[in-house]
Amino acid sequence: MNSPEDQLFSQEGPLGIRFDFNEGCRLSLPYSGEWTVNIWDIDTQCLIFSQKLDGGVIQTRKKYYMNFFFEIWKKEEKVFSHKLNLREKFVLINMDKGGIGDHLAWVAHVEHFRKQHGCNITCLVRNDLEKVFKEYFPDIDFCSSLSEGKDFYATYKVLIFYNDCDLEYSPIDYREVGLVVYAASILGLPLTERRPDFSCITYNRPIAERYVCIATQASSHCKFWNNPNGWLQVVEFLKKKGYRVICLDKQLFSGHGRSWHYIPYGAEDETGDRPFQERIQWLQHADFFIGLSSGLSWLAWAVGCPIIMISGFTAEKNEFSTPWRVLNRNVCNSCANDIRCQLDPTDYFWCPRHKNTEREFECSKNISVNHVLMHINSIISKTLLT
């Protein structure tokens, strides 16, 4: 199936006019002369487009959710007007290019959007998340590819737009609001954290003993905890406290070029390309989880597992709320949420302020073991009381 922008406009008006809201307000007018088109944003009472033309295609620059209203005149007579109304309409939300963490951060916003507007949503997602999302959000049609036969009234792309300097695809730069509420800004929702509830389907406990889950790997070097002794000492500390330590990373080791990261010594190896349901099972019964700004931390959040998050390159607002957020503000930090720093997702060693200097990646190198152990003691005290 062609993408919505390649389709004939899905809605039909009088006099050969066609329209839809697939990535903006789109109009097609026959070349019969003397049209006048006005397009409004109702929520701000702002006229955002007004033009006389002989015919042709119009598409607004703003492609995120806006409460559009348009009116069309032929000569001196108003011949058609329409207000955006998503109720019972087919709506496509496309977020399949996002990472696992992106999807988990955004999916509950999609569900809230569906409930608020009463629309029929098809949500394009990653293939590896399609099945699990269908389990938890049965009223959304999740798919990893589009099939023929469905004309969408509206389409919204919920993705990170790195070079959207004119804010055509989102009303605010993702770095300013953080990943956790970014989808809400695109979908016109209040900027509130919305957690997908993955605790409603309960799995059996995988082992009898108390245990802690960890995930130590990520997709780029800035996301790692780059304290060379960090994970080794944390695992040792947890085992002395009587916990089994279960590593849930996808790979036994990962890295690039000059830097490689391996499963910490003493952690039990549950790595591998496992089904998400298996990861959910481990996280449901863990006393707590320790991870990075990466997909498994977002999955632990969805499950409702207490989380210690270690991240220096993102600001606290980027991720979900947790009282056990580990960030050292005494060194360079939070570049990922600095609008002066342009993320290059192709650069594994992205460090925009101190690349190739002695201060490179100091945001995580200078997160001390004692800082993390302080949070571990705090979370253990809380979990023992519950």
PDB file of all heavy atoms in Angstrom, residues 4 28 64 71 84-85 106 128 163 180 193 211 248 257 270 294 313:
ATOM      1  N   PRO A   4       0.157   7.421   2.877  1.00  0.00           N
ATOM      2  CA  PRO A   4      -1.016   8.291   2.716  1.00  0.00           C
ATOM      3  C   PRO A   4      -0.771   9.470   1.801  1.00  0.00           C
ATOM      4  O   PRO A   4      -1.662   9.883   1.061  1.00  0.00           O
ATOM      5  CB  PRO A   4      -1.291   8.740   4.156  1.00  0.00           C
ATOM      6  CG  PRO A   4      -0.778   7.635   4.993  1.00  0.00           C
ATOM      7  CD  PRO A   4       0.430   7.119   4.268  1.00  0.00           C
ATOM      8  N   SER A  28      -7.540  19.192  -2.473  1.00  0.00           N
ATOM      9  CA  SER A  28      -7.345  19.105  -3.921  1.00  0.00           C
ATOM     10  C   SER A  28      -8.540  19.769  -4.605  1.00  0.00           C
ATOM     11  O   SER A  28      -9.687  19.368  -4.382  1.00  0.00           O
ATOM     12  CB  SER A  28      -7.222  17.638  -4.353  1.00  0.00           C
ATOM     13  OG  SER A  28      -7.128  17.545  -5.760  1.00  0.00           O
ATOM     14  N   TYR A  64       1.557  17.893  12.479  1.00  0.00           N
ATOM     15  CA  TYR A  64       1.129  17.269  13.727  1.00  0.00           C
ATOM     16  C   TYR A  64      -0.356  17.571  13.960  1.00  0.00           C
ATOM     17  O   TYR A  64      -0.986  18.268  13.157  1.00  0.00           O
ATOM     18  CB  TYR A  64       1.984  17.755  14.888  1.00  0.00           C
ATOM     19  CG  TYR A  64       2.135  19.260  14.986  1.00  0.00           C
ATOM     20  CD1 TYR A  64       1.193  20.044  15.626  1.00  0.00           C
ATOM     21  CD2 TYR A  64       3.250  19.900  14.436  1.00  0.00           C
ATOM     22  CE1 TYR A  64       1.321  21.418  15.719  1.00  0.00           C
ATOM     23  CE2 TYR A  64       3.403  21.276  14.520  1.00  0.00           C
ATOM     24  CZ  TYR A  64       2.441  22.032  15.164  1.00  0.00           C
ATOM     25  OH  TYR A  64       2.574  23.391  15.247  1.00  0.00           O
ATOM     26  N   GLU A  71     -12.565  26.462   4.941  1.00  0.00           N
ATOM     27  CA  GLU A  71     -13.717  26.892   4.149  1.00  0.00           C
ATOM     28  C   GLU A  71     -13.230  27.222   2.750  1.00  0.00           C
ATOM     29  O   GLU A  71     -12.135  27.748   2.552  1.00  0.00           O
ATOM     30  CB  GLU A  71     -14.421  28.089   4.789  1.00  0.00           C
ATOM     31  CG  GLU A  71     -13.522  29.276   5.063  1.00  0.00           C
ATOM     32  CD  GLU A  71     -14.226  30.385   5.834  1.00  0.00           C
ATOM     33  OE1 GLU A  71     -15.372  30.152   6.269  1.00  0.00           O
ATOM     34  OE2 GLU A  71     -13.643  31.474   5.977  1.00  0.00           O
ATOM     35  N   LEU A  84     -12.296  19.433  11.320  1.00  0.00           N
ATOM     36  CA  LEU A  84     -11.708  18.142  11.683  1.00  0.00           C
ATOM     37  C   LEU A  84     -12.545  17.461  12.756  1.00  0.00           C
ATOM     38  O   LEU A  84     -12.855  18.058  13.793  1.00  0.00           O
ATOM     39  CB  LEU A  84     -10.283  18.351  12.210  1.00  0.00           C
ATOM     40  CG  LEU A  84      -9.562  17.103  12.746  1.00  0.00           C
ATOM     41  CD1 LEU A  84      -9.055  16.260  11.581  1.00  0.00           C
ATOM     42  CD2 LEU A  84      -8.411  17.474  13.658  1.00  0.00           C
ATOM     43  N   ASN A  85     -12.913  16.205  12.508  1.00  0.00           N
ATOM     44  CA  ASN A  85     -13.671  15.424  13.474  1.00  0.00           C
ATOM     45  C   ASN A  85     -13.229  13.969  13.332  1.00  0.00           C
ATOM     46  O   ASN A  85     -13.571  13.296  12.357  1.00  0.00           O
ATOM     47  CB  ASN A  85     -15.174  15.559  13.232  1.00  0.00           C
ATOM     48  CG  ASN A  85     -15.999  14.793  14.253  1.00  0.00           C
ATOM     49  OD1 ASN A  85     -15.457  14.133  15.145  1.00  0.00           O
ATOM     50  ND2 ASN A  85     -17.305  14.863  14.125  1.00  0.00           N
ATOM     51  N   TRP A 106       5.626   6.075  24.099  1.00  0.00           N
ATOM     52  CA  TRP A 106       4.572   6.738  23.322  1.00  0.00           C
ATOM     53  C   TRP A 106       3.249   5.990  23.250  1.00  0.00           C
ATOM     54  O   TRP A 106       2.209   6.587  23.010  1.00  0.00           O
ATOM     55  CB  TRP A 106       5.077   6.975  21.890  1.00  0.00           C
ATOM     56  CG  TRP A 106       6.298   7.830  21.809  1.00  0.00           C
ATOM     57  CD1 TRP A 106       6.738   8.740  22.740  1.00  0.00           C
ATOM     58  CD2 TRP A 106       7.247   7.862  20.746  1.00  0.00           C
ATOM     59  NE1 TRP A 106       7.896   9.334  22.304  1.00  0.00           N
ATOM     60  CE2 TRP A 106       8.239   8.817  21.090  1.00  0.00           C
ATOM     61  CE3 TRP A 106       7.361   7.184  19.526  1.00  0.00           C
ATOM     62  CZ2 TRP A 106       9.323   9.101  20.265  1.00  0.00           C
ATOM     63  CZ3 TRP A 106       8.433   7.459  18.695  1.00  0.00           C
ATOM     64  CH2 TRP A 106       9.404   8.416  19.071  1.00  0.00           C
ATOM     65  N   ASP A 128       8.986  -6.331  16.183  1.00  0.00           N
ATOM     66  CA  ASP A 128       9.213  -7.082  17.416  1.00  0.00           C
ATOM     67  C   ASP A 128       8.290  -6.650  18.562  1.00  0.00           C
ATOM     68  O   ASP A 128       8.229  -7.306  19.599  1.00  0.00           O
ATOM     69  CB  ASP A 128      10.680  -6.993  17.859  1.00  0.00           C
ATOM     70  CG  ASP A 128      11.192  -5.558  17.961  1.00  0.00           C
ATOM     71  OD1 ASP A 128      10.425  -4.623  17.689  1.00  0.00           O
ATOM     72  OD2 ASP A 128      12.377  -5.383  18.304  1.00  0.00           O
ATOM     73  N   ASN A 163      15.978  17.020  12.398  1.00  0.00           N
ATOM     74  CA  ASN A 163      16.279  18.248  11.654  1.00  0.00           C
ATOM     75  C   ASN A 163      15.019  19.043  11.328  1.00  0.00           C
ATOM     76  O   ASN A 163      14.959  19.733  10.319  1.00  0.00           O
ATOM     77  CB  ASN A 163      17.033  17.905  10.363  1.00  0.00           C
ATOM     78  CG  ASN A 163      18.355  17.214  10.649  1.00  0.00           C
ATOM     79  OD1 ASN A 163      19.190  17.761  11.354  1.00  0.00           O
ATOM     80  ND2 ASN A 163      18.530  16.008  10.125  1.00  0.00           N
ATOM     81  N   VAL A 180       9.526  11.121  27.203  1.00  0.00           N
ATOM     82  CA  VAL A 180       8.380  10.528  27.878  1.00  0.00           C
ATOM     83  C   VAL A 180       7.059  11.222  27.525  1.00  0.00           C
ATOM     84  O   VAL A 180       6.000  10.590  27.546  1.00  0.00           O
ATOM     85  CB  VAL A 180       8.612  10.498  29.407  1.00  0.00           C
ATOM     86  CG1 VAL A 180       8.549  11.885  30.016  1.00  0.00           C
ATOM     87  CG2 VAL A 180       7.641   9.552  30.101  1.00  0.00           C
ATOM     88  N   GLU A 193       2.980  12.452  31.716  1.00  0.00           N
ATOM     89  CA  GLU A 193       3.548  11.108  31.582  1.00  0.00           C
ATOM     90  C   GLU A 193       2.417  10.082  31.602  1.00  0.00           C
ATOM     91  O   GLU A 193       1.569  10.093  32.495  1.00  0.00           O
ATOM     92  CB  GLU A 193       4.519  10.875  32.735  1.00  0.00           C
ATOM     93  CG  GLU A 193       5.167   9.518  32.768  1.00  0.00           C
ATOM     94  CD  GLU A 193       6.127   9.387  33.953  1.00  0.00           C
ATOM     95  OE1 GLU A 193       7.023  10.242  34.109  1.00  0.00           O
ATOM     96  OE2 GLU A 193       5.961   8.419  34.730  1.00  0.00           O
ATOM     97  N   TYR A 211      15.609 -11.690  43.603  1.00  0.00           N
ATOM     98  CA  TYR A 211      16.579 -11.351  42.563  1.00  0.00           C
ATOM     99  C   TYR A 211      16.385  -9.919  42.088  1.00  0.00           C
ATOM    100  O   TYR A 211      15.344  -9.294  42.289  1.00  0.00           O
ATOM    101  CB  TYR A 211      16.490 -12.324  41.380  1.00  0.00           C
ATOM    102  CG  TYR A 211      15.187 -12.277  40.612  1.00  0.00           C
ATOM    103  CD1 TYR A 211      15.036 -11.461  39.485  1.00  0.00           C
ATOM    104  CD2 TYR A 211      14.089 -13.061  40.996  1.00  0.00           C
ATOM    105  CE1 TYR A 211      13.841 -11.426  38.774  1.00  0.00           C
ATOM    106  CE2 TYR A 211      12.897 -13.029  40.293  1.00  0.00           C
ATOM    107  CZ  TYR A 211      12.778 -12.211  39.187  1.00  0.00           C
ATOM    108  OH  TYR A 211      11.597 -12.163  38.484  1.00  0.00           O
ATOM    109  N   LEU A 248      19.572  -9.122  31.649  1.00  0.00           N
ATOM    110  CA  LEU A 248      18.557  -9.305  30.609  1.00  0.00           C
ATOM    111  C   LEU A 248      18.947  -8.691  29.264  1.00  0.00           C
ATOM    112  O   LEU A 248      18.102  -8.584  28.373  1.00  0.00           O
ATOM    113  CB  LEU A 248      17.228  -8.676  31.055  1.00  0.00           C
ATOM    114  CG  LEU A 248      16.581  -9.229  32.325  1.00  0.00           C
ATOM    115  CD1 LEU A 248      15.258  -8.520  32.585  1.00  0.00           C
ATOM    116  CD2 LEU A 248      16.368 -10.732  32.229  1.00  0.00           C
ATOM    117  N   GLY A 257      34.422  -0.549  17.509  1.00  0.00           N
ATOM    118  CA  GLY A 257      35.761   0.021  17.421  1.00  0.00           C
ATOM    119  C   GLY A 257      36.582  -0.144  18.674  1.00  0.00           C
ATOM    120  O   GLY A 257      36.910  -1.246  19.093  1.00  0.00           O
ATOM    121  N   GLU A 270      21.014 -14.273  31.279  1.00  0.00           N
ATOM    122  CA  GLU A 270      19.721 -14.467  30.619  1.00  0.00           C
ATOM    123  C   GLU A 270      19.659 -13.580  29.367  1.00  0.00           C
ATOM    124  O   GLU A 270      18.592 -13.116  28.976  1.00  0.00           O
ATOM    125  CB  GLU A 270      18.571 -14.149  31.559  1.00  0.00           C
ATOM    126  CG  GLU A 270      18.374 -15.175  32.657  1.00  0.00           C
ATOM    127  CD  GLU A 270      17.890 -16.528  32.134  1.00  0.00           C
ATOM    128  OE1 GLU A 270      17.263 -16.555  31.053  1.00  0.00           O
ATOM    129  OE2 GLU A 270      18.133 -17.541  32.814  1.00  0.00           O
ATOM    130  N   SER A 294      17.694   3.195  28.064  1.00  0.00           N
ATOM    131  CA  SER A 294      17.553   2.269  26.935  1.00  0.00           C
ATOM    132  C   SER A 294      16.261   1.486  27.079  1.00  0.00           C
ATOM    133  O   SER A 294      15.538   1.612  28.072  1.00  0.00           O
ATOM    134  CB  SER A 294      18.757   1.319  26.862  1.00  0.00           C
ATOM    135  OG  SER A 294      18.825   0.520  28.023  1.00  0.00           O
ATOM    136  N   PHE A 313      23.896  11.409  30.064  1.00  0.00           N
ATOM    137  CA  PHE A 313      23.767  12.191  28.835  1.00  0.00           C
ATOM    138  C   PHE A 313      22.349  12.694  28.612  1.00  0.00           C
ATOM    139  O   PHE A 313      22.113  13.572  27.787  1.00  0.00           O
ATOM    140  CB  PHE A 313      24.257  11.384  27.624  1.00  0.00           C
ATOM    141  CG  PHE A 313      23.215  10.516  26.972  1.00  0.00           C
ATOM    142  CD1 PHE A 313      22.739  10.818  25.713  1.00  0.00           C
ATOM    143  CD2 PHE A 313      22.717   9.388  27.614  1.00  0.00           C
ATOM    144  CE1 PHE A 313      21.776  10.023  25.102  1.00  0.00           C
ATOM    145  CE2 PHE A 313      21.777   8.587  27.015  1.00  0.00           C
ATOM    146  CZ  PHE A 313      21.293   8.906  25.756  1.00  0.00           C
TER     147      PHE A 313
END
